[in-house]
């Protein structure tokens, strides 16, 4: 097994521990930073790097896993540089042509970005760089090992990562998803959003940074149709520094009600790439609303956890509560329906076998809607299925 990831990453460590438990050889790790450094010299350098780690590898039986590229500042900065408008690159894996807009900073400016934990820096450009790297890796893997099997195909990882493209694919496959503002067409700015809200008669929206992870760049937005009074609950924090506005991921939710701030945030999201969808009320228990993170492996639903919050945003890293899905008050039938919806969502990605699928269970009807498909969504602490953790389950012989 070839593992592409970051050393010390919790997913990487979890996978290696699981392989050890089953008596399997450790996966051969090639780091994102090594690949990005090789990318500076072109595809042949990537081929040499990969071949040097697996000199005896044969096509048959070689499994390749892409892990999350986050949690390492050097990798983030290098990906932003690789996605710069003044760098040549293969944009064939960019799911949407709009994502290729020539905006952002130069490669030289990217190399000088400060390391500030939590700061949101050029996410659209970062994603373009990641897609370019995936295209290079995929091309060189085909050259070296044409019969190798990907856990998740690079081109499908790119689609899952872009919420606009992901929801577009799910909708085309008949999967129930929240209604998209303006039928999913690109929203260019705040005024455009308001016009489409009025036309679609939507007063409450979820705005999501299209290529964000976790709850980065998420806004639960509502606007009174008569008075125009508005409110935004979000993870985005704002700082003014030397006359410059800095955006960062806050560990606690922020609430904004002034028009200028909300307009600025929406315009920024539109510039980076935004997905806008109907705010569907979630099922609740004891004053908490919840959704379900359902892991799907090889087409079958397995590990799952309910994510509870008193706010509209349920991501667990925001200090929200976890609860076994069976303890939420959902009937066995509704739990099974949510699991089947997650399996159907993964069937839309036939080249991929592992993802954490986020399932919204509607208040009242208990109907499931797919709100996200996370190609790196298998990091579920303390959650077992048939007495195995997610990585043990995936590596089970």
């Amino acid at each position: 097994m070839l593992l592409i990831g970051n050393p010390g990453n919790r997913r990487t460590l979890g996978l290696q521990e699981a392989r050890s438990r089953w008596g399997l050889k450790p996966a051969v790790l090639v780091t994102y930073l090594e690949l990005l450094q090789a990318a500076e010299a072109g595809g042949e350098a990537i081929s040499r790097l990969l071949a040097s780690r697996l000199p005896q590898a044969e096509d048959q039986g070689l499994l390749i896993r892409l892990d999350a590229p986050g949690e390492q500042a050097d990798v983030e900065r290098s990906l932003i540089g690789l996605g710069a408008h003044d760098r040549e690159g293969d944009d064939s894996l960019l799911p949407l042509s709009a994502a290729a807009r020539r905006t952002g900073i130069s490669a030289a400016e990217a190399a000088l970005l400060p390391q500030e934990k939590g700061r949101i820096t050029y996410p659209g450009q970062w994603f373009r760089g990641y897609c370019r790297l995936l295209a290079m890796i995929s091309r060189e893997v085909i050259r070296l090992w044409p019969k190798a099997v990907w856990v998740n195909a690079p081109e499908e990882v790119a689609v899952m990562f872009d919420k606009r493209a992901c929801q577009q694919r799910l909708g085309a496959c008949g999967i129930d998803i929240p209604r998209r503002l303006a039928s999913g067409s690109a929203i260019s700015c705040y005024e455009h959003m308001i016009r489409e809200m009025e036309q679609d008669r939507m007063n409450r929206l979820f705005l999501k940074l299209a290529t964000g992870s976790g709850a980065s760049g998420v806004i639960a937005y509502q606007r009174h149709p008569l008075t125009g009074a508005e409110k935004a609950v979000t993870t985005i924090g704002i700082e003014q520094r030397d006359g410059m506005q800095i955006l960062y991921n806050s560990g606690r939710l922020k609430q904004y009600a002034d028009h200028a701030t909300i307009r600025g945030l929406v315009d920024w999201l539109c510039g980076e790439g935004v997905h806008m969808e109907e705010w569907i009320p979630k099922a609740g228990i004891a004053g908490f609303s919840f959704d379900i993170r359902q892991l799907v492996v090889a087409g079958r639903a397995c590990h799952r956890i309910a994510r509870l919050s008193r706010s509209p945003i349920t991501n667990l890293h925001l200090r929200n509560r976890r609860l076994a899905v069976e303890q939420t008050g959902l009937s066995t039938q509704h739990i099974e329906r949510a699991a089947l919806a997650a399996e159907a969502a993964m069937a839309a990605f036939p080249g991929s076998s592992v993802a954490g699928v986020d399932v919204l269970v509607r208040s009242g009807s208990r109907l499931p809607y797919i709100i996200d498909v996370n190609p790196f969504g298998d990091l579920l602490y303390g959650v077992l299925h048939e007495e195995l953790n997610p990585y043990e389950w995936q590596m089970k012989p």
Side-chain angles (χ1 to χ4, degrees):
M1 185 176 196
L2 174 65
L3 176 61
I4 297 171
N6 289 329
N9 183 280
R10 294 165 292 175
R11 296 174 180 82
T12 299
L13 295 174
L15 186 82
Q16 298 287 38
E17 289 169 0
R19 292 183 67 83
S20 176
R21 168 173 178 173
W22 293 117
L24 300 171
K25 292 181 180 179
V28 175
L29 176 66
V30 177
T31 71
Y32 276 112
L33 191 57
E34 291 174 312
L35 287 164
L36 284 160
Q37 290 169 345
E40 295 288 335
E44 290 186 2
I46 289 180
S47 275
R48 289 194 296 271
L49 172 62
L50 295 174
S52 69
R53 296 299 169 83
L54 289 167
Q56 306 300 322
E58 299 178 0
D59 286 5
Q60 202 67 34
L62 177 60
L63 189 64
I64 306 177
R65 176 185 168 101
L66 288 162
D67 219 332
E71 301 180 10
Q72 191 164 329
D74 287 344
V75 171
E76 180 172 342
R77 189 164 44 224
S78 295
L79 287 171
I80 294 171
L82 186 58
H85 56 78
D86 60 347
R87 283 283 299 271
E88 293 296 324
D90 181 354
D91 289 330
S92 61
L93 294 192
L94 267 178
L96 301 173
S97 59
R101 287 179 299 177
R102 301 176 71 83
T103 58
I105 58 175
S106 69
E109 290 171 319
L112 299 176
L113 283 172
Q115 296 186 23
E116 293 187 59
K117 187 175 181 180
R119 183 172 175 177
I120 306 174
T121 48
Y122 306 100
Q125 185 171 326
W126 176 96
F127 181 63
R128 186 182 189 185
Y130 187 49
C131 287
R132 285 178 167 181
L133 181 64
L134 290 180
M136 294 176 73
I137 296 169
S138 179
R139 184 173 59 247
E140 300 311 314
V141 164
I142 290 172
R143 185 179 300 172
L144 290 169
W145 309 296
K147 295 182 182 177
V149 175
W150 293 89
V151 173
N152 288 343
E155 63 273 17
E156 293 190 348
V157 168
V159 172
M160 291 183 213
F161 216 100
D162 188 322
K163 293 176 176 60
R164 299 162 298 186
C166 182
Q167 294 297 86
Q168 187 178 78
R169 176 175 294 196
L170 293 174
C173 291
I175 308 299
D176 287 329
I177 58 175
R179 186 161 59 111
R180 292 166 288 170
L181 184 67
S183 300
S185 61
I187 303 296
S188 60
C189 63
Y190 173 87
E191 286 81 4
H192 187 187
M193 180 187 76
I194 297 301
R195 289 197 304 270
E196 296 294 344
M197 288 180 70
E198 292 173 346
Q199 183 170 320
D200 287 358
R201 297 184 179 180
M202 286 189 193
N203 299 319
R204 303 193 337 148
L205 292 176
F206 261 94
L207 317 181
K208 300 178 180 180
L209 182 61
T211 57
S213 58
S216 178
V218 173
I219 301 176
Y221 173 79
Q222 52 189 316
R223 179 177 183 270
H224 194 285
L226 298 179
T227 67
E230 53 190 347
K231 182 171 70 173
V233 176
T234 180
T235 58
I236 305 173
I238 304 171
E239 285 185 5
Q240 298 296 330
R241 191 186 305 168
D242 300 326
M244 184 177 175
Q245 181 172 273
I246 304 297
L247 303 181
Y248 63 93
N249 289 312
S250 173
R252 295 185 182 277
L253 292 176
K254 304 284 186 178
Q255 183 169 300
Y256 303 105
D258 62 291
H259 172 74
T261 299
I262 293 174
R263 177 177 176 167
L265 289 175
V266 172
D267 284 346
W268 172 77
L269 280 173
C270 290
E272 293 292 340
V274 64
H275 171 69
M276 300 185 178
E277 66 187 22
E278 178 186 14
W279 177 347
I280 296 175
K282 298 174 181 176
I285 179 174
F288 291 86
S289 61
F290 68 86
D291 58 19
I292 298 171
R293 165 62 60 88
Q294 174 68 70
L295 184 61
V296 178
V297 175
R300 299 297 301 273
C302 46
H303 304 72
R304 57 181 170 239
I305 194 74
R307 310 183 301 181
L308 279 66
S309 177
R310 293 194 185 278
S311 81
I313 302 174
T314 57
N315 298 73
L316 292 175
H317 74 279
L318 297 174
R319 302 180 180 89
N320 287 322
R321 289 184 55 188
R322 303 152 51 94
L323 190 67
V325 175
E326 292 75 13
Q327 296 177 308
T328 60
L330 289 178
S331 68
T332 302
Q333 179 184 13
H334 288 129
I335 294 172
E336 180 63 19
R337 189 177 292 174
L340 290 173
E343 290 176 355
M346 275 306 293
F349 298 93
S352 300
S353 60
V354 178
V357 181
D358 291 339
V359 186
L360 183 154
V361 179
R362 189 176 194 128
S363 176
S365 70
R366 298 296 194 259
L367 291 174
Y369 295 81
I370 303 302
I371 53 176
D372 199 14
V373 181
N374 187 335
F376 312 120
D378 54 7
L379 185 63
L380 298 173
Y381 293 116
V383 182
L384 301 179
H385 179 71
E386 296 187 11
E387 304 304 318
L388 300 176
N389 71 34
Y391 299 107
E392 293 167 343
W393 180 256
Q394 292 175 58
M395 293 295 101
K396 183 180 178 181

